[in-house]
């Protein structure tokens, strides 16, 4: 890419909003809890470690802006260092043990003549086995992209 193209792309690229320090700390705390849930095997161990984590966040509450930015930077580095290589995901989502287990076959395959019985289900299912609904925005009627590295679908 040449320099003109890069400068034009930089002008049109949307910048992420700069969040206040308290929202950044809240997001860091939530990501730390999710990472902790990947490492903790037992629920009691998780609760004990989450209490220690909360105490670490509470002891730095009300610090100056410069100290807050330093603590956030150090916290993000620590979170990156403690990231689990195979993070926990709920079983019915991509990467989970129940993902696409026993999906119902399409009615066109079961009844190739198009003669459906009266009690045949009239709903279609998403890859996570939830019912497709247009009003919820969760409708995988057409092609669905499943990203197994990020363990999500779109």
């Amino acid at each position: 890419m040449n320099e003109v193209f890069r400068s034009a792309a930089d002008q049109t690229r949307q910048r992420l909003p700069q969040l206040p320090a308290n929202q950044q700390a809240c997001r860091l705390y939530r990501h730390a809890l999710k990472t902790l849930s990947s490492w903790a095997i037992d629920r009691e161990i998780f609760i004990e470690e989450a209490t220690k984590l909360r105490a670490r966040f509470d002891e730095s509450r009300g610090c100056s802006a410069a100290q807050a930015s330093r603590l956030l930077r150090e916290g993000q580095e620590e979170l990156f260092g403690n990231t689990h290589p195979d993070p926990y995901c709920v079983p019915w989502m991509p990467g989970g043990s129940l993902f696409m287990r026993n999906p119902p076959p399409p009615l066109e395959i079961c009844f190739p003549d198009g003669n459906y019985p009266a009690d045949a289900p009239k709903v279609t299912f998403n890859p996570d086995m939830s019912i497709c609904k247009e009003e919820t925005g969760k409708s995988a009627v057409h092609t669905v992209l499943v990203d197994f590295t990020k363990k999500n679908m779109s």
Side-chain angles (χ1 to χ4, degrees), residues 93-94 127 139-140 142-147 151-154:
M93 291 304 287
S139 179
H142 302 292
T143 304
V144 177
L145 175 64
V146 178
D147 186 358
K151 297 184 178 179
N152 65 6
M153 64 181 185
S154 57

Side-chain angles (χ1 to χ4, degrees), residues 5-19:
F5 180 77
R6 287 186 185 178
S7 66
D10 287 339
Q11 290 175 1
T12 59
R13 189 175 296 136
Q14 184 178 3
R15 304 278 188 256
L16 293 175
Q18 184 62 32
L19 297 174

Side-chain angles (χ1 to χ4, degrees), residues 15-53:
R15 304 278 188 256
L16 293 175
Q18 184 62 32
L19 297 174
N22 60 350
Q23 284 185 349
Q24 289 178 353
C26 183
R27 289 184 180 191
L28 179 64
Y29 177 67
R30 181 174 174 168
H31 286 294
L33 283 177
K34 286 183 179 248
T35 302
L36 180 61
S37 70
S38 294
W39 286 107
I41 298 169
D42 187 32
R43 186 72 180 163
E44 291 183 15
I45 294 172
F46 172 78
I47 291 172
E48 180 182 327
E49 293 297 320
T51 305
K52 292 177 187 176
L53 181 67

Side-chain angles (χ1 to χ4, degrees), residues 1 17 26 36 38 45 52 55-56 78 84 90 98 102 104-105 113-114 125 131 133 142 152-153:
M1 287 190 266
C26 183
L36 180 61
S38 294
I45 294 172
K52 292 177 187 176
R56 286 180 61 191
E78 183 179 348
H84 198 279
V90 290
L98 295 177
N102 302 326
D113 58 353
F125 291 96
I131 297 175
K133 293 182 181 177
H142 302 292
N152 65 6
M153 64 181 185

Side-chain angles (χ1 to χ4, degrees), residues 106-150:
L107 291 176
E108 296 84 28
I109 294 175
C110 296
F111 306 100
D113 58 353
N115 212 359
Y116 304 138
D119 61 344
K122 300 191 178 18
V123 297
T124 56
F125 291 96
N126 290 313
D128 63 351
M129 302 306 291
S130 61
I131 297 175
C132 291
K133 293 182 181 177
E134 287 290 335
E135 60 271 7
T136 61
K138 193 172 185 181
S139 179
V141 176
H142 302 292
T143 304
V144 177
L145 175 64
V146 178
D147 186 358
F148 283 97
T149 59
K150 294 182 181 176

